[in-house]
């Protein structure tokens, strides 16, 4: 049996989420692993680049299917636009899109330029904070749309402000954890580098 157009769009939407969430988590884990290595190789960058293209595809699928589904629901019942959960999700995915552009234009080129040496070597705290914030924004901006899509009982009940407050808090907590991890990692890389130079 061929699924209806609405069902096909939901499947397309879920596929976009799967690609995006899975790819984003894989990229974050690979970069964290690379940060712990003495030397980041070209194979790491090739894998990260491939996965980042999958994440971009998932994001595009999320936007297209989300717009189509919202429009179809609006044509059936215009009151759907009064569901604040939808607007919170739109805003979060907008942040996700801005963050994705930042990662592609700024973060990944920096990672590529550091191949052959530890990723965190000689990075100042400002750069480490930028990397940490990019990671925190990416992780939370993918996870929250999944939660909002599943939590149907929040429809017309939970205000957008409350959802965005929770999202902001989660981003900040994740940022602090990642930033501390990057600072500790950078210090460790620096100690290892100094120890290696002393024994040379």
């Amino acid at each position: 049996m061929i699924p209806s157009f609405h069902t096909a769009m939901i499947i397309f939407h879920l596929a976009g989420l799967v690609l995006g969430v899975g790819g984003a988590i894989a990229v974050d884990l690979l970069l964290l692993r690379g940060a712990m290595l003495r030397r980041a190789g070209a194979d790491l960058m090739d894998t990260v680049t491939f996965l980042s293209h999958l994440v971009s595809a998932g994001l595009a699928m999320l936007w297209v299917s989300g717009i189509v589904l919202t429009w179809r629901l609006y044509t059936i019942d215009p009151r759907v636009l009064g569901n604040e959960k939808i607007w919170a999700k739109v805003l979060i995915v907008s942040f996700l899109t801005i963050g994705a552009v930042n990662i592609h234009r700024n973060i990944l080129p920096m990672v590529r330029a550091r191949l052959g040496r530890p990723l965190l070597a000689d990075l100042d705290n400002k750069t480490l904070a930028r990397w940490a914030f990019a990671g925190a924004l990416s992780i939370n901006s993918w996870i929250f749309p999944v939660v909002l899509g599943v939590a149907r009982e929040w429809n017309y009940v939970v205000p957008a402000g409350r959802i965005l407050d929770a999202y902001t808090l989660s981003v900040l907590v994740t940022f602090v954890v990642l930033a501390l991890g990057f600072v500790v990692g950078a210090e460790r890389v620096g100690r290892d580098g100094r120890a290696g130079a002393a024994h040379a």
Side-chain angles (χ1 to χ4, degrees), residues 131-149:
W131 285 28
F133 184 75
L137 190 67
S138 173
I139 293 170
N140 286 282
S141 297
W142 276 112
I143 292 177
F144 264 76
V146 174
V147 174
L148 293 176

Side-chain angles (χ1 to χ4, degrees), residues 10-150:
I10 292 177
I11 294 173
F12 191 69
H13 194 74
L14 293 176
L17 282 173
V18 170
L19 280 178
V21 174
I25 292 176
V27 167
D28 291 337
L29 291 177
L30 283 171
L31 291 179
L32 284 174
R33 177 177 176 272
M36 297 175 187
L37 296 175
R38 287 183 174 272
R39 182 174 299 176
D43 56 335
L44 171 68
M45 196 65 229
D46 290 341
T47 304
V48 167
T49 300
F50 172 73
L51 289 173
S52 68
H53 290 321
L54 291 183
V55 174
S56 297
L59 182 57
M61 293 167 66
L62 197 64
W63 271 114
V64 171
S65 57
I67 291 172
V68 171
L69 286 170
T70 302
W71 174 254
R72 283 182 59 82
L73 290 174
Y74 172 76
T75 59
I76 297 172
D77 184 2
R79 291 177 299 176
V80 71
L81 296 183
N83 184 3
E84 294 191 24
K85 191 186 80 169
I86 290 178
W87 297 112
K89 187 174 181 180
V90 169
L91 191 57
I92 291 172
V93 175
S94 298
F95 290 146
L96 172 61
T97 304
I98 295 171
V101 171
N102 173 57
I103 289 174
H104 279 278
R105 290 188 176 180
N106 300 311
I107 305 299
L108 291 184
M110 291 179 66
V111 173
R112 188 176 291 108
R114 304 183 70 77
L115 294 180
R117 55 177 170 161
L119 293 181
L120 299 180
D122 304 321
L123 289 179
D124 56 41
N125 288 338
K126 183 177 180 180
T127 301
L128 293 174
R130 287 173 55 195
W131 285 28
F133 184 75
L137 190 67
S138 173
I139 293 170
N140 286 282
S141 297
W142 276 112
I143 292 177
F144 264 76
V146 174
V147 174
L148 293 176
V150 173

